[in-house]
Amino acid sequence: MLLFTPGPTPTPEVIRVAMSVPTIHHRTPEFEEIFKIVREKLIKIMDMPEVLMLAASGTGAMEAAVTNLCKSHALTINAGKFGERFGKICKAFDIPYTELKYTWDTPASIKDILHEVKTNPKIDALCIQICESAGGLRHDVEGIAKAVKEINKDIMIIADGITAVGVEKIDTANIDALITGSQKAFMLPPGLAMMGLSQNAVSKIEKAPKGFYFNLASELKNQRKNTTAYTAATTLIIGLKAMFDLIEKEGFEKFYEDTKIRAKAANAALEAIGLKIYPKSPSFAMNTVYHESAKEIRSIAKKKYGVNIAGGQDELKDKLFRINNMGLIAPYETAWALNAVELALDELGIRKYDGTANSTFVLKVFKGV
Ligand SMILES: *Cc1c(COP(=O)(O)O)cnc(C)c1O
């Protein structure tokens, strides 16, 4: 079965092999050396002055960022399930928040955000997805963050980059917390969350430490010494080092470029067979299609052609399908998935099969789009 869901993504064999070594103790020079290497690589790839690794799924880092960086009032952007989650976190911790809601295909508007920031001086954090995975939607976080900082540089920009880090180079100049998780573009099993921090965020955390397991001040103190406050996710961190070794063979620039080409070529292929790309500003992390028969298309792709494509969520559960594009994916695998979709359309009597999806994709990939 080809796993084509936007998280978890398949783990390449070299990474699986690297993680198959006997467990080592986390308070040892051997592990601290690995931790140090990975920490430095994360700082570089996130392009931020500080980074933390937490034994948690991505949501753990979302919670930690909110509880440690928002002290008075959060502005949350809800254009899907993951944006909605920021609001739920605020609620769980009794943090006052304002939620800006958008339909799942529509990116957040800078104007709306600036209006909230200007009218409510209590807002001290903006929580937003870079890619909202519910609809494969890319928000212009960089532009939004810049505009917000021009009004008040102390507003913390908390960016959920769980399906953005490792997909494309992110301009972190105005981002205070950049969150990611192991099971998306980094191709690891789930269980490790990572967070890049700005200098401003570090000062804020150190000035008023908060929480226990997710007390980022104690993590900062420990991780700067290449250890963790509690038991580190040793196996995943060893896997993360293997991921860096693998990608660095050809470099992250090539990794991002290949991802972008595949994303564009696959969207063109889907459109060429008459399908509608759902988000108004598609992210490169996945290819998201709106179709009344999305559920049936997925079911045929899985049962007949061995491709596991994700559906939608909530009311769009049976109306969207999402083909993962994160990680190292051989173009022939995506070609297979797109071909399966085209064959499913034929089987459902929607469109006669003629190989258009496959040929469009392959030609575009070879031409570099
Ligand atoms: C997957 C995902 C998450 C949630 O991560 P978990 O690891 O399931 O906690 C959060 N935000 C986005 C945008 C995601 O795609």
Side-chain angles (χ1 to χ4, degrees):
M1 180 75 64
L2 282 174
L3 181 61
F4 260 101
T5 55
T9 59
T11 303
E13 188 177 9
V14 278
I15 301 181
R16 298 199 306 272
V17 168
M19 293 188 299
S20 69
V21 294
T23 300
I24 55 172
H25 197 278
H26 55 292
R27 310 278 182 215
T28 54
E30 297 93 293
F31 182 68
E32 284 166 17
E33 178 57 26
I34 295 168
F35 192 94
K36 180 172 184 279
I37 293 169
V38 171
R39 187 177 136 74
E40 281 163 6
K41 287 183 187 294
L42 279 173
I43 285 176
K44 197 168 152 226
I45 202 69
M46 291 205 179
D47 196 13
M48 297 197 79
E50 194 51 85
V51 75
L52 293 174
M53 286 174 255
L54 303 166
S57 86
T59 307
M62 290 169 73
E63 175 178 321
V66 171
T67 56
N68 282 266
L69 294 174
C70 180
K71 305 289 173 189
S72 64
H73 195 107
L75 176 60
T76 68
I77 306 304
N78 174 357
K81 282 309 271 182
F82 297 103
E84 179 190 46
R85 189 167 297 176
F86 272 130
K88 287 184 173 172
I89 292 168
C90 292
K91 209 175 212 167
F93 288 92
D94 289 325
I95 296 168
Y97 70 102
T98 302
E99 178 179 84
L100 281 176
K101 224 170 162 177
Y102 296 89
T103 47
W104 293 10
D105 62 348
T106 306
S109 116
I110 298 193
K111 206 168 132 253
D112 296 348
I113 291 170
L114 293 188
H115 175 76
E116 289 303 325
V117 167
K118 281 177 189 159
T119 48
N120 184 355
K122 281 216 160 90
I123 290 171
D124 63 346
L126 167 69
C127 305
I128 185 169
Q129 276 51 49
I130 297 177
C131 163
E132 169 52 80
S133 313
L137 176 73
R138 178 67 157 89
H139 288 299
D140 175 20
V141 175
E142 297 89 335
I144 291 167
K146 185 165 181 282
V148 168
K149 291 283 184 187
E150 276 163 12
I151 295 174
N152 180 353
K153 67 172 177 39
D154 288 326
I155 294 177
M156 293 285 106
I157 309 294
I158 299 173
D160 168 0
I162 297 179
T163 46
V165 175
V167 170
E168 55 179 310
K169 171 94 182 83
I170 293 151
D171 175 5
T172 49
N174 295 295
I175 292 175
D176 294 290
L178 177 64
I179 296 160
T180 195
S182 51
Q183 81 277 26
K184 309 276 168 99
F186 284 175
M187 302 176 282
L188 296 168
L192 184 71
M194 292 143 275
M195 189 182 337
L197 293 167
S198 70
Q199 210 50 59
N200 204 351
V202 169
S203 314
K204 208 158 181 163
I205 290 163
E206 288 177 333
K207 216 176 284 160
K210 193 88 189 272
F212 186 75
Y213 184 71
F214 287 134
N215 182 320
L216 299 184
S218 64
E219 287 299 343
L220 276 168
K221 189 166 150 258
N222 280 282
Q223 297 197 22
R224 280 179 178 138
K225 291 185 282 189
N226 301 312
T227 188
T228 46
Y230 311 105
T231 309
T234 48
T235 306
L236 289 169
I237 291 168
I238 288 167
L240 190 52
K241 182 178 172 295
M243 185 281 293
F244 276 113
D245 290 344
L246 176 62
I247 302 301
E248 283 168 359
K249 274 190 196 158
E250 289 191 298
F252 270 87
E253 260 168 48
K254 169 91 165 59
F255 186 45
Y256 297 149
E257 183 63 16
D258 287 350
T259 300
K260 182 168 95 183
I261 289 169
R262 265 194 331 268
K264 290 188 165 181
N267 275 349
L270 291 161
E271 283 176 329
I273 53 171
L275 297 175
K276 185 188 178 321
I277 302 303
Y278 176 69
K280 287 175 192 153
S281 66
S283 126
F284 298 146
M286 64 199 77
N287 299 92
T288 308
V289 169
Y290 181 93
H291 200 285
E292 286 302 320
S293 304
K295 187 180 171 202
E296 291 72 23
I297 294 168
R298 284 179 56 221
S299 167
I300 294 169
K302 186 168 180 182
K303 287 197 190 112
K304 242 176 142 170
Y305 305 107
V307 188
N308 186 354
I309 293 169
Q313 291 163 300
D314 286 356
E315 57 264 42
L316 290 173
K317 188 170 177 288
D318 298 333
K319 306 289 178 199
L320 291 185
F321 68 80
R322 296 174 297 156
I323 302 174
N324 174 55
N325 188 41
M326 291 177 282
L328 280 175
I329 304 173
Y332 59 80
E333 290 189 341
T334 304
W336 179 272
L338 294 167
N339 197 44
V341 168
E342 188 178 341
L343 285 163
L345 291 181
D346 188 351
E347 192 167 326
L348 291 165
I350 296 166
R351 182 188 175 278
K352 199 102 203 91
Y353 179 84
D354 59 7
T356 294
N358 206 341
S359 61
T360 304
F361 176 75
V362 173
L363 278 171
K364 292 220 174 248
V365 165
F366 283 101
K367 272 198 241 154
V369 173

